Amino acid sequence: MGTPVVAVLDEDFLLRRLSILGHFNPDGTINSNAFKKDGRPDPQISVDLARMATVREALSRAPNDKFKIGIIQVRPVRELGLVVRHQPTPENPSHTIIEGNNSRATCRELARLTWLSTLENI
Amino acid sequence: MRILANSGTAGSTLTTSNLQPGIRSSVRLFDPIANAFLGAPGNSPVQAYTGGVPVASEQRSQAEGVSRDPLVCRLRLILDRVDQLSTLPQNWDSYGSQPSAIPAVLAAKQLIWKVIASRYSHALDEAIPFSAVPLSGGGIQIEWRGSNGEIEVEIDPANSFSYLLTTHHGGNDETEERDNLSEEDITRLISSVTL
């Protein structure tokens, strides 16, 4: 039996895997490319629901140690007109998606709203 | 690859003040695509772009010394970064992307040099890109930040240019994005941001 789907609240936080090799600007801020796929705005961004996963767990799903975790709250994401919903998979019960990202301006906003986790031990 | 040289006397520096129109900078930038120094007598940097693969003049640059000027170092870092994007490991983003494609790297460097060449004499600081990052799928994204706004330029593996332009009007930002622009049109847009 799979993980039941839960309601994602505005107050919830989302965890996004970020590549040290490619998703950061020289000043340490997050680049909008973190929300693009195949060179286009990613219409279905994969994240983890922080309520159901730790930063360490999110990092453990990365293929190597060249990744950090970005944190973004649901409310401002929804204020951009995007849909956030829990979509658990057998491998990742906390898997959640952000839908409706179809512009570069939205990618840039998402990058601006994301901050870098320094809480890798929780 | 050493491509930036300081042609002035020892200790000469590049400052904002010596970048004003009509005042010649003491630092000379070597353009590997044109195989010449920008601003060299009888050499028009813009007209020098006739295509072709960038080739560094290693001997010439070594003979003249590598500049330690902050702006030139920034430019060198960004060009090195663009080069590195083609050497990223497979799956660098954890979503299966390949590294940036060589044609995208060459197109990115050519675009950077074209912007530098057109803004060299009066806005070198803003003509140097703020960042260069890989795009999943093999492209490259370069961002310029200037007095008039910011522009993200996407270069896909087939050398197609797309952009997001953000301009500031008082307290409000306006954005505009388009696909499939020519290099000439993109260069003009970037120049409009980097006044």
Side-chain angles (χ1 to χ4, degrees), chain B:
Chain B
M1 183 169 78
R2 293 182 177 179
I3 51 178
L4 302 167
N6 187 339
S7 66
T9 56
S12 62
T13 58
L14 184 65
T15 64
T16 305
S17 62
N18 62 16
L19 286 174
Q20 299 308 308
I23 301 176
R24 192 182 178 85
S25 163
S26 61
V27 174
R28 298 171 69 198
L29 301 180
F30 185 75
D31 175 355
I33 296 172
N35 198 30
F37 285 95
L38 292 180
N43 173 41
S44 167
V46 176
Q47 290 174 1
Y49 287 94
T50 55
V53 179
V55 176
S57 178
E58 185 77 20
Q59 275 190 324
R60 185 170 184 178
S61 295
Q62 281 182 347
E64 302 211 19
V66 175
S67 173
R68 292 180 182 179
D69 181 272
L71 289 179
V72 177
C73 288
R74 260 184 59 206
L75 177 57
R76 187 164 60 234
L77 283 172
I78 208 86
L79 290 168
D80 286 349
R81 171 68 170 151
V82 172
D83 274 331
Q84 288 167 358
L85 298 182
S86 66
T87 66
L88 290 174
Q90 290 287 337
N91 197 29
W92 63 267
D93 63 349
S94 82
Y95 294 101
S97 179
Q98 66 269 39
S100 300
I102 295 293
V105 168
L106 294 177
K109 290 170 73 175
Q110 178 151 315
L111 179 63
I112 290 171
W113 278 111
K114 212 161 189 179
V115 173
I116 294 288
S118 65
R119 316 303 293 165
Y120 161 68
S121 62
H122 53 291
L124 180 59
D125 188 16
E126 294 187 353
I128 298 171
F130 168 71
S131 68
V133 294
L135 281 173
S136 80
I140 290 177
Q141 179 171 301
I142 305 176
E143 180 176 342
W144 280 264
R145 294 186 176 182
S147 308
N148 290 347
E150 296 104 37
I151 184 166
E152 290 180 357
V153 177
E154 298 172 358
I155 305 168
D156 75 13
N159 282 4
S160 171
F161 296 95
S162 306
Y163 73 89
L164 167 68
L165 175 65
T166 306
T167 50
H168 310 300
H169 302 280
N172 299 322
D173 286 352
E174 286 184 11
T175 62
E176 170 190 306
E177 48 191 285
R178 279 179 60 196
D179 296 324
N180 299 319
L181 264 75
S182 68
E183 186 190 65
E184 187 179 2
D185 287 341
I186 277 289
T187 305
R188 195 177 304 121
L189 266 173
I190 298 165
S191 295
S192 75
V193 169
T194 59
L195 274 180

